[in-house]
């Protein structure tokens, strides 16, 4: 695992617990798409121009998934 992946996995597990307890939420998992080539800018923190499109798509699809419930 990359050095920060274990921490990401712990945070995702905590988020999943809260979402399961609420029962009325969905998660757009940025950590699943951020590692793809070209998604992050050279600083490794902010999305690139392409990454901004990926982020917007993730938000849109997550909202659509929630609305479909």
């Amino acid at each position: 695992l990359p050095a920060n992946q274990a921490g990401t996995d712990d945070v995702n597990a905590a988020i999943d617990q809260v979402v399961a307890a609420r029962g009325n939420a969905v998660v757009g998992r940025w950590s699943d798409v951020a590692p793809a080539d070209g998604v992050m800018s050279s600083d490794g923190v902010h999305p690139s121009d392409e990454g901004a499109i990926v982020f917007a798509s993730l938000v849109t699809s997550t909202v659509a998934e929630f609305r479909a419930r």
Side-chain angles (χ1 to χ4, degrees):
L1 292 173
N4 63 346
Q5 186 61 48
T8 299
D9 291 345
D10 290 343
V11 169
N12 286 344
I15 291 169
D16 290 342
Q17 283 183 323
V18 171
V19 168
R22 287 184 58 113
N24 67 343
V26 295
V27 175
R29 189 79 66 202
W30 177 245
S31 61
D32 288 349
V33 295
D37 286 343
V39 172
M40 300 303 291
S41 65
S42 61
D43 69 6
V45 175
H46 299 95
S48 63
D49 290 344
E50 178 183 337
I53 294 167
V54 171
F55 182 76
S57 177
L58 177 64
V59 170
T60 301
S61 64
T62 303
V63 169
E65 178 185 347
F66 180 77
R67 289 181 53 119
R69 291 177 148 217

